[in-house]
Amino acid sequence: MTLIVDSETVSAAATAPESTVDAVEATLEDDKEPQNPLTEKFTEAEWKALKEFRSTLPETFKEAFPEQDGAGSTPYNLWGVTISPLKPKDARVSVVLMKFLRARNLNPAEAKDMFISTLQWRKSFKVDDVMKEKFPEDIFGKLGITYGKDKDGHPIAYNLYGANKDLDAVFGDTQRFLRWRVAFMEESIALLDFETVDQMVQIHDYEGVSMSDRTQASKNAASEASSIFQGHYPEFLAKKFFVNVPSFLTWIFWIFKPFLSAATVAKMSVVGSGPKVIGTALLPLIPANQLPKKYGGDADGF
């Protein structure tokens, strides 16, 4: 682990009288930022925004949990990272907070609002309880799978939309589907260390999906899930591939493309069908031994 300090403080230490050395050393200690490979990539503008955002954490937690005594000083665990409002200097905490800042163009006030909204949503949605819930294996067992890593160590999450043709079973209970989908997302995030990796690759496989599969219930569930992930899971996507995409879904994607940010579009790729075509798109990023044969790799897969 390396540390950074403010250059002005270093300069002051070099010229300070001996009588003030102890005070300067204490200041240097206070200015040190714990670092890891991810924080070392932060820009100067990102560090500035982070320090401002971080300074508001006691107030932020009070606003997020107004009914909780001592909320402004109570540590909170988010995605396996403990955030202490009064002692927030931690490299992994910096990585988590930076997600909210980047999602809001480094605007600390807007990042704060998003962070509060996320904390309150997690409480109302009862995410901890969702993670303990047992979902029917015959309904959801094949819909979401994490398998392998890309060349940068990002875990790969597969969403297999055609794996269960019983749409009433999958989407009939919208809230149960959303709980399962959030649980799958949380399980995928648990594979991130927030030291070297804080994002994942997603592969959305539409094999076997037809127009008849787009029921009102499935569209409502997809819309609600998208809203949850956009609002409460910022900057977790390294790359997203849509594979085995039917022509009607390709058309829909291009219709909505103008409404997506350039950064989001840059992370998304619509790929054709078959191992050779899919492999051509995925193998530059994913080692063959980490990619199932049905997607053009060498792994037995799932």
Side-chain angles (χ1 to χ4, degrees):
M1 178 178 288
T2 58
L3 297 169
I4 63 171
V5 296
D6 183 84
S7 59
E8 292 182 3
T9 305
V10 174
S11 177
T15 59
E18 187 174 349
S19 61
T20 64
V21 168
D22 289 343
V24 172
E25 287 182 347
T27 301
L28 282 169
E29 188 67 29
D30 289 340
D31 284 347
K32 290 178 180 178
E33 284 288 355
Q35 294 273 33
N36 65 28
L38 292 175
T39 62
E40 287 172 352
K41 298 176 183 178
F42 290 0
T43 66
E44 183 177 343
E46 287 176 333
W47 276 115
K48 180 180 179 181
L50 174 62
K51 291 176 181 179
E52 181 177 341
F53 181 23
R54 197 170 57 190
S55 70
T56 69
L57 283 180
E59 172 192 344
T60 298
F61 277 96
K62 287 179 183 178
E63 291 184 35
F65 308 113
E67 74 291 344
Q68 178 181 323
D69 292 337
S73 59
T74 302
Y76 183 91
N77 188 286
L78 179 61
W79 302 315
V81 177
T82 300
I83 303 173
S84 176
L86 299 183
K87 296 181 178 180
K89 278 193 176 182
D90 177 272
R92 297 172 76 229
V93 170
S94 295
V95 172
V96 169
L97 297 180
M98 186 57 64
K99 289 183 171 295
F100 292 88
L101 284 163
R102 287 173 175 166
R104 292 296 179 263
N105 298 315
L106 301 185
N107 184 310
E110 293 183 6
K112 175 185 174 182
D113 289 342
M114 185 183 191
F115 188 56
I116 290 173
S117 175
T118 295
L119 296 178
Q120 293 178 334
W121 169 80
R122 293 180 70 86
K123 182 176 181 178
S124 64
F125 198 83
K126 300 180 179 178
V127 173
D128 290 341
D129 291 341
V130 167
M131 295 304 296
K132 300 174 185 176
E133 186 171 346
K134 300 297 183 182
F135 298 96
E137 185 69 18
D138 59 328
I139 296 176
F140 298 105
K142 296 181 180 179
L143 294 182
I145 297 171
T146 54
Y147 183 91
K149 295 181 179 180
D150 74 359
K151 294 178 180 179
D152 293 321
H154 300 117
I156 305 170
Y158 291 82
N159 293 273
L160 311 172
Y161 293 100
N164 189 340
K165 292 297 185 180
D166 189 346
L167 301 185
D168 289 336
V170 175
F171 300 108
D173 185 340
T174 301
Q175 291 307 308
R176 183 179 67 172
F177 170 80
L178 292 174
R179 292 196 304 274
W180 168 79
R181 188 62 186 84
V182 166
F184 179 53
M185 184 66 169
E186 292 282 329
E187 290 167 359
S188 300
I189 291 174
L191 300 175
L192 308 174
D193 62 11
F194 296 97
E195 291 276 352
T196 59
V197 178
D198 69 332
Q199 293 182 319
M200 68 188 75
V201 172
Q202 292 181 349
I203 296 178
H204 293 239
D205 188 347
Y206 288 86
E207 183 178 12
V209 175
S210 65
M211 278 293 289
S212 61
D213 293 330
R214 286 179 56 79
T215 64
Q216 190 59 50
S218 69
K219 287 188 284 186
N220 290 343
S223 176
E224 288 194 49
S226 295
S227 178
I228 287 172
F229 295 132
Q230 289 176 12
H232 308 305
Y233 291 90
E235 297 295 311
F236 276 104
L237 183 65
K239 187 72 176 177
K240 179 182 290 188
F241 295 95
F242 300 88
V243 305
N244 294 317
V245 180
S247 58
F248 74 90
L249 283 177
T250 302
W251 175 79
I252 291 174
F253 172 79
W254 289 111
I255 286 292
F256 282 96
K257 182 179 177 181
F259 300 99
L260 303 174
S261 69
T264 298
V265 171
K267 294 181 178 182
M268 300 167 64
S269 297
V270 179
V271 182
S273 302
K276 185 175 181 180
V277 172
I278 297 173
T280 299
L282 270 57
L283 286 171
L285 285 83
I286 303 172
N289 65 0
Q290 298 289 301
L291 187 66
K293 292 176 182 178
K294 66 179 294 184
Y295 299 113
D298 297 334
D300 290 333
F302 44 83

